[in-house]
Amino acid sequence: MDYQIARRNMVENQVRTNKVTDPLVIAAMEEVPRELFLPEGKRGIAYVDEDIPVGNGRYAMEPMVIARLMQSAEILRSDVALVIGAGYGYTGAVLSRVAETVVAVESDKEMASIAEKTFQAHSYDNVIVVEGNLAEGYAKQSPYNVIVFDGAVAEVPANILDQLSEGGRLLVVVRAPGKVGVARLYERENGVVGHRDLFDANIPYLPGFEPAESFVF
């Protein structure tokens, strides 16, 4: 298939039609070949408007959600960004076309290795892949101007919010049990983190961030 045409159609029919107008975000989505950041057997569906299962309970988040989260983050060229759940690297790759530096944390050793090799092979020199526990973020390089979760969470861990810089923005889809997911923007202003809801987005949970099981006695 012609991936370049498919990518252009994705931008025109999925991204632009869903209130994405930021030229930097649109340019990044047009530039990054999504198929490079998927397992070979999934590349033929790289540009569908849905989350793509990539193994081990992980999904490549649908392009429209990524684009709208990025637009809401109002990323600057000087920003340092953190991706929680690098997967095979697509979200980190798109962010890297807008931010100065991207740190992508991944707990799956094989995924982290493949993402790192893809970044190196295609000259994404401003992306750093770190293998580690997703729930811990990566405090060593904090604070971050932007943090993005590559999957839904039941709640955002306080220790990851602590890794936001003053003026920093954290973008995530929060899904309460049995409810529709909501994209949410967290911002640190004068040392205090507040948040506001942005739009509905029913994407799969990032493993390790599912709702805790409740027990009835």
Side-chain angles (χ1 to χ4, degrees):
M1 68 179 291
D2 189 323
Y3 289 117
Q4 190 169 356
I5 291 175
R7 186 159 62 254
R8 190 180 307 125
N9 290 339
M10 175 197 76
V11 172
E12 294 301 322
N13 301 325
Q14 299 175 37
V15 176
R16 289 184 185 272
T17 56
N18 279 286
K19 302 179 182 179
V20 178
T21 58
D22 186 322
L24 293 179
V25 174
I26 290 171
M29 301 295 286
E30 288 177 335
E31 178 185 346
V32 177
R34 185 168 163 86
E35 70 276 6
L36 292 181
F37 299 94
L38 289 173
E40 193 167 342
K42 300 288 186 178
R43 291 178 180 177
I45 57 170
Y47 295 101
V48 298
D49 58 345
E50 57 188 55
D51 307 292
I52 300 173
V54 294
N56 291 339
R58 299 294 288 278
Y59 292 78
M61 191 160 54
E62 68 173 290
M64 179 273 288
V65 175
I66 297 172
R68 291 192 69 179
L69 291 177
M70 285 179 61
Q71 176 169 268
S72 300
E74 298 182 357
I75 303 168
L76 303 175
R77 291 290 192 189
S78 57
D79 281 345
V80 177
L82 173 69
V83 177
I84 306 291
Y88 287 106
Y90 179 70
T91 298
V94 177
L95 279 169
S96 77
R97 304 299 85 179
V98 183
E100 181 177 49
T101 303
V102 176
V103 178
V105 180
E106 179 48 58
S107 56
D108 185 294
K109 185 174 183 177
E110 182 180 2
M111 284 186 184
S113 175
I114 292 172
E116 178 67 31
K117 289 175 183 175
T118 305
F119 289 137
Q120 290 178 355
H122 298 279
S123 300
Y124 288 84
D125 300 325
N126 61 333
V127 187
I128 303 162
V129 179
V130 178
E131 187 183 338
N133 186 339
L134 302 185
E136 294 178 2
Y138 194 62
K140 185 176 180 180
Q141 294 291 335
S142 67
Y144 301 96
N145 307 107
V146 175
I147 299 176
V148 177
F149 279 79
D150 203 344
V153 304
E155 58 183 47
V156 179
N159 64 303
I160 293 181
L161 288 171
D162 289 342
Q163 295 174 36
L164 272 180
S165 66
E166 179 63 28
R169 293 85 67 204
L170 182 148
L171 283 302
V172 61
V173 174
V174 179
R175 275 180 59 196
K179 295 187 178 180
V180 174
V182 177
R184 185 171 291 170
L185 167 65
Y186 290 81
E187 295 180 275
R188 180 183 297 280
E189 294 184 9
N190 299 317
V192 178
V193 176
H195 72 266
R196 59 186 172 92
D197 292 345
L198 303 171
F199 57 91
D200 291 346
N202 232 8
I203 65 173
Y205 286 111
L206 195 56
F209 294 92
E210 304 92 343
E213 291 186 22
S214 59
F215 297 91
V216 179
F217 296 95

